[in-house]
mmCIF file of all heavy atoms in Angstrom:
data_model
loop_
_atom_site.group_PDB
_atom_site.id
_atom_site.type_symbol
_atom_site.label_atom_id
_atom_site.label_comp_id
_atom_site.label_asym_id
_atom_site.label_seq_id
_atom_site.Cartn_x
_atom_site.Cartn_y
_atom_site.Cartn_z
ATOM 1 N N GLY A 80 156.891 22.606 90.770
ATOM 2 C CA GLY A 80 156.741 21.856 89.522
ATOM 3 C C GLY A 80 156.035 22.666 88.454
ATOM 4 O O GLY A 80 156.450 22.706 87.294
ATOM 5 N N PHE A 81 154.948 23.325 88.842
ATOM 6 C CA PHE A 81 154.187 24.170 87.930
ATOM 7 C C PHE A 81 155.065 25.296 87.385
ATOM 8 O O PHE A 81 155.132 25.529 86.181
ATOM 9 C CB PHE A 81 152.965 24.736 88.660
ATOM 10 C CG PHE A 81 152.173 25.738 87.873
ATOM 11 C CD1 PHE A 81 151.290 25.327 86.885
ATOM 12 C CD2 PHE A 81 152.291 27.093 88.138
ATOM 13 C CE1 PHE A 81 150.545 26.255 86.162
ATOM 14 C CE2 PHE A 81 151.547 28.025 87.428
ATOM 15 C CZ PHE A 81 150.675 27.605 86.429
ATOM 16 N N VAL A 82 155.770 25.987 88.270
ATOM 17 C CA VAL A 82 156.616 27.109 87.862
ATOM 18 C C VAL A 82 157.755 26.633 86.972
ATOM 19 O O VAL A 82 158.086 27.282 85.976
ATOM 20 C CB VAL A 82 157.140 27.880 89.097
ATOM 21 C CG1 VAL A 82 158.166 28.930 88.695
ATOM 22 C CG2 VAL A 82 155.981 28.531 89.840
ATOM 23 N N ASN A 83 158.350 25.484 87.276
ATOM 24 C CA ASN A 83 159.412 24.946 86.421
ATOM 25 C C ASN A 83 158.901 24.683 85.005
ATOM 26 O O ASN A 83 159.620 24.884 84.031
ATOM 27 C CB ASN A 83 160.001 23.671 87.014
ATOM 28 C CG ASN A 83 160.885 23.952 88.213
ATOM 29 O OD1 ASN A 83 161.378 25.060 88.403
ATOM 30 N ND2 ASN A 83 161.077 22.948 89.041
ATOM 31 N N ASP A 84 157.662 24.225 84.880
ATOM 32 C CA ASP A 84 157.067 23.972 83.566
ATOM 33 C C ASP A 84 156.859 25.244 82.758
ATOM 34 O O ASP A 84 156.727 25.181 81.536
ATOM 35 C CB ASP A 84 155.721 23.239 83.704
ATOM 36 C CG ASP A 84 155.876 21.790 84.108
ATOM 37 O OD1 ASP A 84 157.005 21.246 83.991
ATOM 38 O OD2 ASP A 84 154.878 21.194 84.538
ATOM 39 N N LEU A 85 156.822 26.382 83.404
ATOM 40 C CA LEU A 85 156.600 27.645 82.697
ATOM 41 C C LEU A 85 157.826 28.090 81.905
ATOM 42 O O LEU A 85 157.745 28.970 81.065
ATOM 43 C CB LEU A 85 156.189 28.752 83.673
ATOM 44 C CG LEU A 85 154.939 28.499 84.499
ATOM 45 C CD1 LEU A 85 154.628 29.711 85.363
ATOM 46 C CD2 LEU A 85 153.761 28.144 83.632
ATOM 47 N N LYS A 86 158.971 27.496 82.191
ATOM 48 C CA LYS A 86 160.225 27.802 81.489
ATOM 49 C C LYS A 86 160.577 29.293 81.556
ATOM 50 O O LYS A 86 160.994 29.900 80.581
ATOM 51 C CB LYS A 86 160.144 27.363 80.019
ATOM 52 C CG LYS A 86 159.719 25.934 79.803
ATOM 53 C CD LYS A 86 160.842 24.978 80.067
ATOM 54 C CE LYS A 86 160.458 23.577 79.616
ATOM 55 N NZ LYS A 86 160.508 22.602 80.631
ATOM 56 N N LEU A 87 160.409 29.864 82.741
ATOM 57 C CA LEU A 87 160.771 31.255 82.947
ATOM 58 C C LEU A 87 162.281 31.343 83.138
ATOM 59 O O LEU A 87 162.912 30.391 83.603
ATOM 60 C CB LEU A 87 160.040 31.810 84.170
ATOM 61 C CG LEU A 87 158.517 31.793 84.068
ATOM 62 C CD1 LEU A 87 157.883 32.050 85.420
ATOM 63 C CD2 LEU A 87 158.048 32.810 83.045
ATOM 64 N N PRO A 88 162.896 32.467 82.791
ATOM 65 C CA PRO A 88 164.349 32.575 82.935
ATOM 66 C C PRO A 88 164.784 32.444 84.393
ATOM 67 O O PRO A 88 164.133 32.994 85.281
ATOM 68 C CB PRO A 88 164.677 33.969 82.385
ATOM 69 C CG PRO A 88 163.388 34.667 82.214
ATOM 70 C CD PRO A 88 162.289 33.669 82.270
ATOM 71 N N SER A 89 165.855 31.704 84.627
ATOM 72 C CA SER A 89 166.330 31.555 86.004
ATOM 73 C C SER A 89 166.794 32.921 86.507
ATOM 74 O O SER A 89 167.310 33.736 85.764
ATOM 75 C CB SER A 89 167.472 30.539 86.077
ATOM 76 O OG SER A 89 168.557 30.974 85.305
ATOM 77 N N GLY A 90 166.588 33.158 87.773
ATOM 78 C CA GLY A 90 166.954 34.433 88.365
ATOM 79 C C GLY A 90 165.956 35.549 88.098
ATOM 80 O O GLY A 90 166.209 36.691 88.427
ATOM 81 N N ALA A 91 164.819 35.206 87.492
ATOM 82 C CA ALA A 91 163.821 36.226 87.141
ATOM 83 C C ALA A 91 162.883 36.551 88.300
ATOM 84 O O ALA A 91 162.066 37.440 88.184
ATOM 85 C CB ALA A 91 162.995 35.746 85.950
ATOM 86 N N TYR A 92 163.000 35.838 89.395
ATOM 87 C CA TYR A 92 162.031 35.964 90.482
ATOM 88 C C TYR A 92 162.424 37.067 91.443
ATOM 89 O O TYR A 92 163.591 37.330 91.624
ATOM 90 C CB TYR A 92 161.926 34.626 91.217
ATOM 91 C CG TYR A 92 161.642 33.500 90.265
ATOM 92 C CD1 TYR A 92 162.648 32.637 89.858
ATOM 93 C CD2 TYR A 92 160.375 33.324 89.732
ATOM 94 C CE1 TYR A 92 162.388 31.627 88.960
ATOM 95 C CE2 TYR A 92 160.112 32.311 88.833
ATOM 96 C CZ TYR A 92 161.126 31.464 88.446
ATOM 97 O OH TYR A 92 160.870 30.474 87.545
ATOM 98 N N PRO A 93 161.469 37.721 92.068
ATOM 99 C CA PRO A 93 160.034 37.484 92.004
ATOM 100 C C PRO A 93 159.417 38.065 90.724
ATOM 101 O O PRO A 93 159.914 39.051 90.177
ATOM 102 C CB PRO A 93 159.483 38.201 93.230
ATOM 103 C CG PRO A 93 160.454 39.309 93.473
ATOM 104 C CD PRO A 93 161.796 38.781 93.030
ATOM 105 N N LEU A 94 158.336 37.445 90.281
ATOM 106 C CA LEU A 94 157.567 37.910 89.132
ATOM 107 C C LEU A 94 156.173 38.282 89.611
ATOM 108 O O LEU A 94 155.565 37.547 90.383
ATOM 109 C CB LEU A 94 157.460 36.814 88.068
ATOM 110 C CG LEU A 94 158.744 36.425 87.373
ATOM 111 C CD1 LEU A 94 158.516 35.210 86.489
ATOM 112 C CD2 LEU A 94 159.275 37.579 86.541
ATOM 113 N N LYS A 95 155.691 39.397 89.123
ATOM 114 C CA LYS A 95 154.368 39.858 89.535
ATOM 115 C C LYS A 95 153.412 39.822 88.344
ATOM 116 O O LYS A 95 153.750 40.260 87.249
ATOM 117 C CB LYS A 95 154.458 41.280 90.086
ATOM 118 C CG LYS A 95 153.166 41.802 90.661
ATOM 119 C CD LYS A 95 153.372 43.176 91.282
ATOM 120 C CE LYS A 95 152.113 43.711 91.897
ATOM 121 N NZ LYS A 95 152.319 45.037 92.480
ATOM 122 N N PHE A 96 152.222 39.296 88.596
ATOM 123 C CA PHE A 96 151.156 39.229 87.603
ATOM 124 C C PHE A 96 149.999 40.065 88.127
ATOM 125 O O PHE A 96 149.547 39.860 89.245
ATOM 126 C CB PHE A 96 150.700 37.782 87.395
ATOM 127 C CG PHE A 96 151.742 36.902 86.773
ATOM 128 C CD1 PHE A 96 152.805 36.420 87.514
ATOM 129 C CD2 PHE A 96 151.659 36.553 85.435
ATOM 130 C CE1 PHE A 96 153.768 35.596 86.944
ATOM 131 C CE2 PHE A 96 152.613 35.738 84.855
ATOM 132 C CZ PHE A 96 153.676 35.263 85.610
ATOM 133 N N GLU A 97 149.516 41.005 87.304
ATOM 134 C CA GLU A 97 148.445 41.900 87.731
ATOM 135 C C GLU A 97 147.118 41.511 87.093
ATOM 136 O O GLU A 97 147.079 41.041 85.949
ATOM 137 C CB GLU A 97 148.800 43.341 87.349
ATOM 138 C CG GLU A 97 150.026 43.839 88.086
ATOM 139 C CD GLU A 97 150.419 45.243 87.677
ATOM 140 O OE1 GLU A 97 150.180 45.635 86.510
ATOM 141 O OE2 GLU A 97 150.971 45.950 88.531
ATOM 142 N N PHE A 98 146.056 41.752 87.810
ATOM 143 C CA PHE A 98 144.716 41.424 87.326
ATOM 144 C C PHE A 98 144.408 42.220 86.062
ATOM 145 O O PHE A 98 144.568 43.433 86.017
ATOM 146 C CB PHE A 98 143.678 41.745 88.403
ATOM 147 C CG PHE A 98 142.264 41.457 87.974
ATOM 148 C CD1 PHE A 98 141.848 40.151 87.769
ATOM 149 C CD2 PHE A 98 141.373 42.486 87.768
ATOM 150 C CE1 PHE A 98 140.543 39.876 87.372
ATOM 151 C CE2 PHE A 98 140.070 42.233 87.377
ATOM 152 C CZ PHE A 98 139.656 40.918 87.171
ATOM 153 N N VAL A 99 143.964 41.492 85.006
ATOM 154 C CA VAL A 99 143.626 42.151 83.741
ATOM 155 C C VAL A 99 142.194 41.896 83.303
ATOM 156 O O VAL A 99 141.744 42.451 82.314
ATOM 157 C CB VAL A 99 144.596 41.760 82.600
ATOM 158 C CG1 VAL A 99 145.975 42.330 82.844
ATOM 159 C CG2 VAL A 99 144.629 40.270 82.378
ATOM 160 N N GLY A 100 141.476 41.037 84.002
ATOM 161 C CA GLY A 100 140.082 40.852 83.631
ATOM 162 C C GLY A 100 139.530 39.498 84.017
ATOM 163 O O GLY A 100 140.229 38.639 84.527
ATOM 164 N N ARG A 101 138.242 39.357 83.732
ATOM 165 C CA ARG A 101 137.514 38.117 84.004
ATOM 166 C C ARG A 101 136.919 37.613 82.709
ATOM 167 O O ARG A 101 136.527 38.395 81.852
ATOM 168 C CB ARG A 101 136.353 38.376 84.956
ATOM 169 C CG ARG A 101 136.761 38.652 86.352
ATOM 170 C CD ARG A 101 135.596 38.530 87.261
ATOM 171 N NE ARG A 101 135.093 37.161 87.225
ATOM 172 C CZ ARG A 101 134.069 36.722 87.897
ATOM 173 N NH1 ARG A 101 133.394 37.524 88.658
ATOM 174 N NH2 ARG A 101 133.684 35.477 87.814
ATOM 175 N N ASP A 102 136.842 36.321 82.603
ATOM 176 C CA ASP A 102 136.101 35.682 81.517
ATOM 177 C C ASP A 102 136.500 36.196 80.138
ATOM 178 O O ASP A 102 135.652 36.432 79.286
ATOM 179 C CB ASP A 102 134.591 35.866 81.714
ATOM 180 C CG ASP A 102 134.105 35.315 83.041
ATOM 181 O OD1 ASP A 102 134.686 34.318 83.504
ATOM 182 O OD2 ASP A 102 133.161 35.871 83.609
ATOM 183 N N LEU A 103 137.786 36.399 79.900
ATOM 184 C CA LEU A 103 138.216 36.784 78.564
ATOM 185 C C LEU A 103 137.838 35.657 77.604
ATOM 186 O O LEU A 103 137.823 34.489 77.969
ATOM 187 C CB LEU A 103 139.725 37.048 78.536
ATOM 188 C CG LEU A 103 140.208 38.192 79.441
ATOM 189 C CD1 LEU A 103 141.715 38.340 79.376
ATOM 190 C CD2 LEU A 103 139.534 39.494 79.095
ATOM 191 N N SER A 104 137.531 35.981 76.387
ATOM 192 C CA SER A 104 136.883 35.041 75.466
ATOM 193 C C SER A 104 137.624 33.719 75.260
ATOM 194 O O SER A 104 136.997 32.695 75.038
ATOM 195 C CB SER A 104 136.651 35.710 74.114
ATOM 196 O OG SER A 104 137.882 36.061 73.516
#
Side-chain angles (χ1 to χ4, degrees):
F81 174 79
V82 172
N83 286 339
D84 287 344
L85 302 183
K86 308 282 190 238
L87 299 167
S89 61
Y92 307 102
L94 293 172
K95 185 176 182 181
F96 293 77
E97 295 178 329
F98 179 68
V99 291
R101 288 195 63 181
D102 302 327
L103 298 178
S104 63

